[in-house]
Amino acid sequence: DRLPSEQALGSAFGVSRGAPGVATVFITVPNGFVRVLGFDNGKVAPQSAVTDFSSRRDQDNTIVKVNGQDELYVIPDAVIFGG
């Protein structure tokens, strides 16, 4: 169940990093909405009132699904940890 690599780079994003493995990722989708995902020790937690989300690891990526299949994000480890 591999995802195309272009999905990892399909949206504009920014990141604010703290201690190793602690980061906040800001993803801007084409309609201008900004999804904020927090990471602590590499584990993801949406930063808004999202209750329907899941995440899994795939090699050097964290794959996050929000609202079922409505939003799908592939976050490379380099975004979270730097490098």
Side-chain angles (χ1 to χ4, degrees):
D1 188 24
R2 296 277 306 155
L3 298 171
S5 60
E6 58 268 22
Q7 287 184 324
L9 305 173
S11 298
F13 73 93
V15 63
S16 174
R17 293 186 196 97
V22 177
T24 303
V25 180
F26 305 87
I27 304 163
T28 304
V29 298
N31 71 3
F33 175 77
V34 177
R35 170 65 65 206
V36 181
L37 301 173
F39 289 83
D40 188 2
N41 289 325
K43 295 187 184 254
V44 66
Q47 298 295 300
S48 56
V50 172
T51 58
D52 181 14
F53 81 96
S54 64
S55 66
R56 67 180 174 89
R57 297 283 305 155
D58 183 14
Q59 297 184 9
D60 293 336
N61 299 302
T62 299
I63 299 166
V64 182
K65 294 179 186 177
V66 180
N67 300 322
Q69 293 286 354
D70 290 347
E71 298 175 49
L72 177 70
Y73 305 104
V74 180
I75 313 295
D77 285 349
V79 171
I80 301 166
F81 296 96

